Amino acid sequence: MSNEWPLWEVFIRGQHGLNHRHVGSLHAPDSELAMRHARDVYTRRNEGVSIWVVPSSEITASAPSDKGPMFEPSNAKVYRHPTFYDIPDEVGHM
Amino acid sequence: MTPDAEALAKAAGGTGRAPLAADAPEMDLFTGLTRLGDNTLILGHRVSEWCGHSPVLEEDIALANMALDLIGQTQFWLGLAGEVEGQGRDADALAFRRDAWDFHNLLLVERPNGDFGQTLMRQFLFDAWHAPMLKALEGSSDARIAEIAVKAGKEVAYHIERSADLVIRLGDGTEESHARMQKALDRLWGFTGEMFIGDAVDARLAEAGIMPAPESLRAAWDETVNHVLAEATLTRPDGTFAHQGGKQGRHSEHMGHMLAPMQWLQRAYPDAKW
């Protein structure tokens, strides 16, 4: 439907989370109402302490059909994982 | 020998407390608390009637949230009313086992939902009263009331923000949304005056510092309403006629129609649990 409100993506930082996480999407006529809808739809059970809303149209996404060239080259390149170093005990948890 | 009323009541399975006398201070408190709790109950139920019927999913959930806020506040107000009454009635008993004439809500909140605009306008006109009412109740001489008011006040601060914003958007929106909002305002206007008309019970509660005098909330309400209506490009009606009676149990024909679906389960299957 052409007269539907634009789509927004909702990101919420949880009570103990450090990062905002994508939780879903919703329709709203502008950012102010998108924020309000996000509060009403996605924080009903006390899930969050901070909300971001982003117009879905502003997100550039990788195409599923490009999956091969995009991600397969990094497959099986174990030497890219920093697992070949000995970490001194004094460093503690990294 | 005078019969021991307390012992007799206990033997009969009662609470051991005699019913409140009509002129007991607790009776005023009970009435004042049911006025608060019945407003939130009846409006909460009205708003819940939109569940699954709203124009868009996001508004549907927002309305359901608000209805739940109001029902939650009802549990506090009517729970306290039952305690004050001391006859063993809890919030559920007061909500589901009273008849229309025992409800003390404003006529405004029992108005049918109408279209979405009328529902929002009713909400805004109520919220603009509810917020300053709770603010005043935070200073109640009764600590139990002050405590409930603080908790409810946070919820209602969001309600008024939301309803005022939507009234502005729709009033200052398309030609059709403007016309619908103006029509809703004109229709509901006559039901706003009752919020500010006190009776003897109100006067005694205000005297005791328990609840604010209804008249004292008018200025804050006028300020909010004038400001929002101006931004919404809506015209404040001139009429000063006020429909009255809800607070004293004289309700419109809509009340019974609303209570029937709301109460039928507890009426048909008393004490049913699930």
Side-chain angles (χ1 to χ4, degrees):
Chain A
M1 267 200 305
S2 60
N3 61 350
E4 244 191 55
W5 289 336
L7 196 64
W8 300 73
E9 300 301 323
V10 182
F11 300 81
I12 288 179
R13 185 155 71 82
Q15 300 288 343
H16 305 293
L18 294 172
N19 306 323
H20 285 71
R21 293 176 67 117
H22 184 239
V23 294
S25 54
L26 50 76
H27 289 93
D30 59 29
S31 63
E32 199 188 329
L33 265 184
M35 180 61 74
R36 198 158 288 170
H37 286 163
R39 180 264 190 199
D40 286 331
V41 176
Y42 290 110
T43 66
R44 303 176 70 227
R45 298 178 184 88
N46 203 22
E47 292 95 334
V49 293
S50 170
I51 302 176
W52 290 347
V53 286
V54 181
S56 306
S57 59
E58 292 296 314
I59 290 180
T60 307
S62 61
S65 55
D66 288 343
K67 213 168 81 183
M70 284 281 273
F71 305 118
E72 268 167 35
S74 67
N75 214 349
K77 290 182 176 153
V78 289
Y79 53 85
R80 290 187 176 173
H81 294 272
T83 53
F84 300 96
Y85 305 97
D86 288 326
I87 297 171
D89 290 341
E90 302 84 75
V91 173
H93 180 70
M94 276 185 82
Chain B
M1 197 177 86
T2 317
D4 183 345
E6 198 168 314
L8 283 173
K10 275 199 180 127
T15 57
R17 272 174 63 178
L20 295 174
D23 59 352
E26 290 84 6
M27 194 63 186
D28 286 342
L29 185 53
F30 175 77
T31 303
L33 288 166
T34 53
R35 284 175 177 173
L36 289 168
D38 291 345
N39 278 339
T40 51
L41 172 63
I42 301 304
L43 185 59
H45 188 80
R46 273 288 186 232
V47 174
S48 80
E49 290 171 357
W50 274 102
C51 198
H53 300 275
S54 298
V56 291
L57 177 140
E58 289 81 358
E59 286 298 333
D60 200 284
I61 295 178
L63 281 176
N65 286 349
M66 195 169 54
L68 284 172
D69 284 350
L70 292 168
I71 301 295
Q73 293 170 19
T74 304
Q75 287 183 320
F76 289 116
W77 293 130
L78 293 188
L80 182 54
E83 247 176 67
V84 167
E85 186 191 39
Q87 296 301 305
R89 292 202 285 183
D90 60 7
D92 282 338
L94 288 169
F96 297 119
R97 309 268 186 93
R98 281 180 301 159
D99 240 317
W101 47 81
D102 290 323
F103 278 84
H104 297 131
N105 55 281
L106 299 162
L107 295 175
L108 175 69
V109 298
E110 70 196 52
R111 299 312 295 161
N113 286 339
D115 61 13
F116 196 62
Q118 191 171 315
T119 293
L120 284 176
M121 184 57 80
R122 181 187 61 199
Q123 189 68 42
F124 167 66
L125 295 170
F126 178 78
D127 291 342
W129 169 86
H130 202 195
M133 176 62 161
L134 290 171
K135 193 85 215 147
L137 288 173
E138 284 181 21
S140 170
S141 59
D142 188 319
R144 298 168 298 182
I145 291 177
E147 197 183 323
I148 298 171
V150 170
K151 191 171 158 37
K154 289 190 190 125
E155 293 170 345
V156 171
Y158 184 75
H159 297 176
I160 179 72
E161 191 185 310
R162 204 184 97 83
S163 63
D165 182 63
L166 289 172
V167 164
I168 292 169
R169 283 168 182 270
L170 291 169
D172 190 15
T174 64
E175 207 174 306
E176 173 162 5
S177 73
H178 175 86
R180 284 184 183 233
M181 294 311 277
Q182 186 64 54
K183 193 168 144 199
L185 178 62
D186 294 344
R187 277 192 173 176
L188 293 169
W189 192 249
F191 295 94
T192 57
E194 190 184 16
M195 298 190 276
F196 312 107
I197 300 173
D199 61 8
V201 175
D202 290 317
R204 288 193 294 269
L205 288 170
E207 179 75 21
I210 296 170
M211 293 182 190
E215 300 81 4
S216 69
L217 302 170
R218 174 117 226 172
W221 186 83
D222 273 336
E223 196 187 320
T224 307
V225 166
N226 290 345
H227 168 74
V228 169
L229 293 186
E231 263 206 68
T233 70
L234 295 170
T235 309
R236 181 182 161 124
D238 291 328
T240 54
F241 174 77
H243 293 279
Q244 295 179 58
K247 287 168 67 175
Q248 289 79 24
R250 298 190 309 278
H251 293 279
S252 64
E253 69 274 24
H254 303 292
M255 190 69 176
H257 290 282
M258 203 207 98
L259 290 183
M262 189 184 104
Q263 295 185 327
W264 82 267
L265 197 141
Q266 281 297 329
R267 298 281 194 161
Y269 307 99
D271 299 322
K273 298 242 188 300
W274 66 90

